[in-house]
Amino acid sequence: MSTQGFDRAVVIGQIGDLFRSHGYEGTSLARITATTGLGKGSLYNAFPKGKAGMAEEVLNSIDTWSTNSFFLPLETADDPIEAVIGMFDAVRTYLECGDRICLVGAFAIDDTRDNFAELIRRYFLRWRDSLTNCLTRAGLKPAHATTLAEETIASVQGNLILARAMADTETFMHGLARQEARLTTLMRARQRAG
């Protein structure tokens, strides 16, 4: 397949799936060409920075999806509780109810982090700050909201690791449900307290 007329979003998705399955180091150019159908020359024409450039584009596509799916709603929604519920729904969808790894999280915990530290840091900061903003708008004190946001992200990532280790997606789903209930209960209590 030539680069002419190929669907860049599809190719980036395919490359992202390879990184999820084989890690950054384990994703060879041969695997990428076999999966995408693009030859080496076409890949380097489309991605002049090579595999590192491909990974950057994958991480940027995840960031764009997350921004549209839950960062912006957390930052701007009129109903903060609905925004938090929407965040958990988006996380469930994206991570396929615990059956798909979080590539940003996976890159953050191995040696790949050093190659993409700023992209990874920016992603998790945006998530934390968006959720903090939402919880603050719901009436929680800023320091408490930041702590809850950090605990929520850690819970999502930790539940995902546990579910994958145990080959039990219900572990992930139950963990998310507990954290969602915790946040929404606190937010509703703040609303009632006025």
Side-chain angles (χ1 to χ4, degrees), residues 24-169:
Y24 180 76
E25 294 301 327
T27 300
S28 65
L29 193 55
R31 278 192 167 124
I32 295 170
T33 60
T35 299
T36 63
L38 296 172
K40 290 179 184 179
S42 296
L43 280 171
Y44 280 111
N45 186 44
F47 302 96
K49 290 167 60 179
K51 189 165 77 166
M54 294 175 204
E56 285 178 12
E57 288 204 39
V58 168
L59 290 171
N60 284 328
S61 74
I62 293 168
D63 185 68
T64 298
W65 182 89
S66 299
T67 295
N68 295 329
S69 297
F70 60 93
F71 295 163
L72 284 176
L74 286 170
E75 294 164 358
T76 62
D78 291 332
D79 185 343
I81 293 172
E82 286 303 314
V84 166
I85 292 168
M87 176 195 75
F88 281 101
D89 288 343
V91 166
R92 283 184 194 95
T93 298
Y94 181 71
L95 298 175
E96 296 175 2
C97 300
D99 206 32
R100 181 183 198 203
I101 69 167
C102 172
L103 189 58
V104 183
F107 277 14
I109 60 173
D110 69 16
D111 292 338
T112 306
R113 183 196 179 284
D114 296 337
N115 298 328
F116 309 104
E118 187 52 36
L119 290 172
I120 293 167
R121 181 179 175 281
R122 188 175 65 217
Y123 176 85
F124 283 111
L125 280 174
R126 177 81 185 271
W127 190 355
R128 183 199 65 190
D129 293 348
S130 298
L131 183 52
T132 297
N133 175 292
C134 186
L135 295 171
T136 303
R137 288 193 343 271
L140 279 74
K141 293 184 178 179
H144 187 211
T146 299
T147 298
L148 287 171
E150 290 172 351
E151 289 174 357
T152 297
I153 296 166
S155 174
V156 169
Q157 296 296 318
N159 281 311
L160 182 59
I161 291 169
L162 183 61
R164 303 253 325 144
M166 296 175 66
D168 178 13
T169 57

